[in-house]
């Protein structure tokens, strides 16, 4: 296998327009659970509203999930006072639940998230915390009526250093499919059951290739079905740990047949997208197609939520430019 | 999934007898490449001799592989002056080649090893070194005639934190099969081709369960075919980072059907199996069946090579004791 190429880090494609009122969601001073950070959020459209589940942290630095909704996609009209999902006390997620992603499937709402728990290592010199993928669900009805009766919590790959799990809203050849990220690649998993992933199998489907993806890549929003295939918004991390968003197009019938754009589509540049030490972070867990556009919600610098929108046909036309497109995996 | 059990760390089964002349291989003072450590080694039997390929380090701390052989399994009769395999300068293994394992297959000798290279991370605060699995081969004839014409070097899972790769000497359902270890589990991989693992798929088949396996487990010697199935000698790492050896029995026709002993079969206790700070390490990369016995070669405290032998029928009889046996995976 050849060494990965080291192209210059090109300017991003300016296809997403930020909402002028960004950030659209910020920490709430004085709140016990969301006073410090309100960021990466899941989103879906149902009955005239865009529902959002976001990652929040308060003074105790424990990660919980909150809820807000909007009808135009940008102006928040409702925000709940209490978290709607909290970490259990098990060793799998005692330090918090992060990065929620929501997928409508079989009349339920499946939530994949990062369960931040304890490793099996106990020696003091070794890393004690571990991010694993978590999966749970709630009936759509319960969710819309705000009865937070979540199902059991499943850990498809317990104790594996894993994140950025997104579930497809449809089956392929009778199997449920998800993407997840064992560093530095995006892997695919197939399972006959959503509740039991012990017989699932796994394969690498996307690898870091470009300068802006150098350290690792990970899925962002769950894949969005369009006429031409599935659109995946994912993130790449460069060698200075700046996070950008990129686009991949997945074949309609084959979730391993993926092409991607060589250039990012959203790059941190606004003040709320930069940390105090200058690191830039835009990171998405949710995007919603609406009236020919896609609204992407993203965490800005792990502090706030921003939104940006793009024309779907414009996004898809990028994949017709040969120079811009590359296979998702070259080994 | 329930939390893993935390049984008391029971005494090992005393089935392996150490060779009285241990250690059988030690560093060579004054050698430029093997003056510091001579340890984990692969082994196979061919034409009246047991051939061994061992991991060595000299003053430069670069890991290279050396060769020695013996006819009785214990007394070294031949040891080459020069390394037989050296790391390439590529980023995949610039820091060395470690933990060789050898499998005879299709008239060739396949060597899996740990390629110690550079991560994709360049930021100074992040880990720069990464262990990945490497695979190469040599014709059996070339090996026996000491013409070190190795084939290309393949990295089945490039940039994935992975080790302890062992290749089965037979195909299953037309596919090549290997075990490898993405922490903390043992995974299986299937591939139609030995040279191209890009379409391989992966699944967890063994998980840490016992106190002596707490931090992680990994395959030791490549599986050994016996009438009753395949015998796998593997290692477990406890929470104080002591390494012990355990036994698993794999179904003849299904490499995912595995049972294992709950208790280790070799535990560090001799002075040459302990480091200066008291950590105990026995770690195997090779074992050879010979005249109804199995000789296991193991690295002692990452410094020397030891050998121990056990009666095959005695090892197999352990799997008939129900209290000793557990499934390899419980989720």
């Amino acid at each position: 296998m050849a060494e990965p190429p080291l192209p210059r880090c090109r300017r991003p494609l300016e296809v997403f327009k930020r909402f002028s009122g960004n950030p659209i969601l910020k920490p709430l001073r004085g709140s016990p659970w969301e006073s410090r950070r309100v960021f990466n959020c899941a989103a879906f459209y149902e009955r005239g509203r865009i529902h959002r589940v976001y990652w929040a942290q308060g003074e105790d630095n424990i990660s919980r999930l909150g809820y807000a909704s909007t009808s135009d996609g940008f102006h928040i009209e409702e925000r709940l006072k209490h978290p709607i999902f909290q970490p259990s006390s098990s060793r799998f997620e005692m330090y918090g639940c992060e990065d929620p992603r929501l997928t409508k499937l079989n009349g339920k709402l499946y939530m994949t998230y990062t369960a931040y728990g304890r490793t099996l290592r106990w020696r003091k010199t070794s890393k004690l915390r571990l991010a694993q993928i978590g999966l749970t669900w709630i009936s759509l009805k319960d969710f819309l009526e705000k009865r937070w009766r979540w199902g059991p919590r499943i850990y498809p790959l317990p104790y594996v250093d894993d994140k950025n799990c997104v579930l497809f809203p449809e089956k392929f050849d009778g199997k449920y499919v998800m993407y997840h990220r064992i560093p530095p690649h995006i892997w695919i998993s197939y399972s006959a059951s959503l509740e039991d992933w012990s017989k699932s199998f796994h394969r690498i489907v996307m690898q870091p290739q470009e300068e802006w993806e150098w350290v690792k890549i990970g899925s962002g929003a769950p894949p969005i079905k369009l006429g031409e295939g599935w659109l995946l918004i994912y993130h790449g991390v460069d060698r200075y740990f700046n996070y950008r968003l990129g686009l991949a197009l997945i074949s309609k019938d084959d979730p391993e047949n993926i092409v991607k754009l060589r250039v990012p589509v959203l790059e941190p540049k606004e003040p709320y997208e930069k940390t105090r030490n200058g690191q830039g972070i835009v990171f998405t867990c949710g995007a919603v197609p609406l009236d020919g556009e896609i609204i992407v919600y993203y965490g800005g610098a792990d502090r706030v939520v921003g939104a940006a929108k793009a024309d779907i046909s414009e996004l898809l036309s990028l994949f017709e430019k040969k120079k811009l497109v590359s296979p998702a995996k070259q080994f």
Side-chain angles (χ1 to χ4, degrees), chain A:
Chain A
M1 195 182 104
E3 299 227 350
L6 240 172
R8 278 169 304 144
C9 203
R10 287 179 289 183
R11 302 301 311 156
L13 300 161
E14 300 286 354
V15 282
F16 275 98
K17 309 290 173 231
R18 285 168 177 81
F19 173 56
S20 61
N22 271 353
I24 60 171
L25 211 54
K26 291 191 282 192
L28 277 185
R29 203 176 285 181
S31 158
W33 63 280
E34 56 173 342
S35 58
R36 288 200 167 165
R37 300 165 185 269
V38 163
F39 52 135
N40 310 343
C41 75
F44 70 100
Y45 179 87
E46 187 73 33
R47 301 189 197 169
R49 304 188 73 75
I50 292 176
H51 305 268
R52 302 226 311 266
V53 174
Y54 58 85
W55 174 7
Q57 282 183 346
E59 297 305 312
D60 60 2
N61 279 328
I62 297 292
S63 297
R64 300 177 179 85
L65 306 181
Y67 170 90
S69 75
T70 160
S71 50
D72 69 356
F74 299 99
H75 298 90
I76 303 297
E77 287 142 13
E78 187 183 20
R79 181 172 179 175
L80 297 188
K81 275 193 182 158
H82 300 288
I84 65 163
F85 191 82
Q86 304 212 48
S88 76
S89 59
S90 85
R91 66 177 300 126
F92 292 110
E93 55 183 61
M94 55 199 290
Y95 301 120
C97 299
E98 312 180 344
D99 290 340
R101 273 107 174 174
L102 290 169
T103 298
K104 272 190 275 183
L105 179 58
N106 303 340
K108 286 183 189 147
L109 209 52
Y110 285 85
M111 183 168 77
T112 54
Y113 62 99
T114 299
Y116 202 41
R118 206 164 190 165
T119 64
L120 290 170
R121 303 187 181 194
W122 281 23
R123 201 169 66 159
K124 277 199 179 156
T125 52
S126 64
K127 211 181 68 167
L128 278 175
R129 296 181 174 210
L130 178 72
Q132 300 149 95
I133 55 176
L135 171 66
T136 187
W137 53 86
I138 189 170
S139 79
L140 190 55
K141 191 163 179 289
D142 275 350
F143 187 96
L144 295 174
E145 294 172 3
K146 301 190 176 58
R147 284 189 305 269
W148 308 114
R149 299 192 290 204
W150 297 93
R153 301 175 187 207
I154 306 290
Y155 308 96
L157 288 164
Y159 300 115
V160 175
D161 175 12
D162 203 357
K163 274 190 171 188
N164 302 313
C165 180
V166 296
L167 183 67
F168 277 79
E170 288 181 14
K171 288 167 116 176
F172 292 84
D173 285 337
K175 292 238 164 73
Y176 297 101
V177 177
M178 64 186 192
Y179 290 160
H180 57 110
R181 198 278 310 284
I182 300 176
H185 308 292
I186 295 178
W187 296 57
I188 196 169
S189 296
Y190 297 88
S191 177
S193 157
L194 274 169
E195 306 189 18
D196 176 10
W197 290 77
S198 64
K199 287 178 192 66
S200 63
F201 70 85
H202 309 267
R203 188 179 275 143
I204 295 172
V205 287
M206 278 182 80
Q207 71 171 135
Q209 294 177 60
E210 309 296 332
E211 181 73 24
W212 64 276
E213 302 171 322
W214 195 251
V215 171
K216 52 191 174 182
I217 55 175
S219 298
I224 293 165
K225 194 174 194 179
L226 303 173
E228 293 72 5
W230 300 86
L231 191 72
L232 178 73
I233 309 178
Y234 70 100
H235 67 261
V237 184
D238 74 15
R239 68 187 68 187
Y240 307 104
F241 277 68
N242 297 302
Y243 285 70
R244 294 175 181 80
L245 298 183
L247 283 188
L249 191 61
I250 305 157
S251 153
K252 228 185 227 179
D253 309 312
D254 179 3
E256 296 189 30
N257 184 354
I258 311 169
V259 291
K260 65 189 200 58
L261 300 182
R262 303 195 64 199
V263 183
V265 291
L266 196 73
E267 176 172 81
K269 67 175 186 184
E270 301 295 333
Y272 58 86
E273 294 163 358
K274 296 202 171 164
T275 66
R276 279 174 208 157
N277 61 24
Q279 182 194 8
I281 305 175
V282 291
F283 187 103
T284 187
C285 291
V288 176
L290 201 64
D291 302 330
E293 293 182 320
I294 278 187
I295 306 176
V296 61
Y297 296 102
Y298 63 93
D302 289 352
R303 287 268 160 200
V304 296
V305 179
K309 67 177 176 179
D311 199 77
I312 290 179
S313 58
E314 196 182 343
L315 293 184
L316 290 174
S317 70
L318 297 172
F319 288 93
E320 287 158 20
K321 298 178 183 168
K322 274 196 179 169
K323 278 191 183 170
L324 270 183
V325 176
S326 73
K329 182 176 135 177
Q330 305 214 41
F331 66 84

